[in-house]
Amino acid sequence: MAIKTRITELLEIEHPIVQGGMQGVGVAELASAVSNAGGLGILTALTQPSPTALRAEIDRCRGMTAKPFGVNLTVFPTINSPDYKAYAQAIIDGGIRIVETAGTPAVREIWEQLKPHGVVILHKCTAVRHALSAERAGCDVISIDGFECAGHPGEDDIPGLILIPAAADKVKIPMLASGGFGDGRGLVAALALGADGINMGTRFCATQEARIHPNVKQAYLDNDERGTYLIFRNFKNTARVGKNEVSTEVVRRLAEPGATFRDVQELVAGSAGRELLESGDMAKGVFWAGMVQGLIDDIPTCDQLFVSKTGTTEKIVNGRLAAMVA
Ligand SMILES: Cc1cc2nc3c(=O)[nH]c(=O)nc-3n(C[C@H](O)[C@H](O)[C@H](O)COP(=O)(O)O)c2cc1C
């Protein structure tokens, strides 16, 4: 069964399923596997150490798939920010047609840089008001991330069951539902709630092609739906990470009166997270994970995942739901 939506048409993909940008995970092996399976794979720009390396990674991915794929650029300006504009230029030079953006309002400069080159912009956000302002600014697709998601769920704590239809009521451009999606049931639910497709992160980490250590994949299987923490609430920069001994310690330290970022800085360092993903030593740092861990119990190839997803979707739509309609 093929599901055709505004997303499959606009992005020229077979299934309305997008792999969200993932720091440390979104490299050519995974992005090309997702695209080859009929979804949209996405490289994560800042996983590459420089714009030149990103340009090379785009070429490497193109060598692994003839299908469309995109690049994620996440913009969180800090004192030592990467050169976002140079990364955006590498995306343009690499001939990329689809870019997923996320981050603070500073991302607008990146939209302005990409738009004249005909790039389709998928903007990921966590609130209806942010979705509407991205739409007004000329973005092409909204990816709305509910409270369940891995990464940055925002500060409003609105789960997908409310956020997706609330956004669908107001957003006119195509919309992806994100956060908490892992199987065909989620896909049907997202479409029923008014989305044109889904975006997944955590589920794609537990696939054969994700180039991370097997111990990390196993952690996604071992953790259930309660296996995440919200950290950095104190700093209004909430992040959802998987439960391990390091994130447990981060939560403990941040609960102390007067806790500051300095108190956890070494535990949450990006370099520590990278080491965890590569070495499989789960005591090295924190790792991003969503509540959808509770629905993950295997490590399929992306192709197998898509086959089972579309099979389940068909069974639900043509079987379970059809049988309920009097
Ligand atoms: C390991 C990992 C790394 C992530 N890194 C980023 C990132 O760099 N930029 C970003 O916009 N989102 C990032 N995300 C969020 C995903 O793109 C996606 O929005 C989220 O995972 C959706 O929720 P789900 O995990 O429940 O599917 C990351 C998620 C994971 C699991």
Side-chain angles (χ1 to χ4, degrees), residues 20-23 72 74 102 124 145 149-150 178-180 199-202 288:
M22 289 188 280
Q23 186 63 8
N72 163 285
T74 304
K124 197 155 55 174
D145 237 333
C149 73
S178 179
N199 177 69
M200 300 196 298
T202 306
W288 301 106

Side-chain angles (χ1 to χ4, degrees), residues 169-204:
D169 281 345
K170 296 203 169 136
V171 170
K172 294 187 190 66
I173 55 177
M175 196 180 82
L176 291 163
S178 179
F181 295 99
D183 58 27
R185 294 172 296 182
L187 175 56
V188 176
L191 298 173
L193 292 172
D196 302 283
I198 56 170
N199 177 69
M200 300 196 298
T202 306
R203 173 67 266 200
F204 281 122

Side-chain angles (χ1 to χ4, degrees), residues 275-296:
E275 221 181 313
L276 175 148
L277 292 178
E278 281 164 21
S279 69
D281 182 348
M282 299 305 287
K284 279 287 174 207
V286 296
F287 66 108
W288 301 106
M291 290 175 163
V292 74
Q293 287 177 128
L295 303 180
I296 299 176

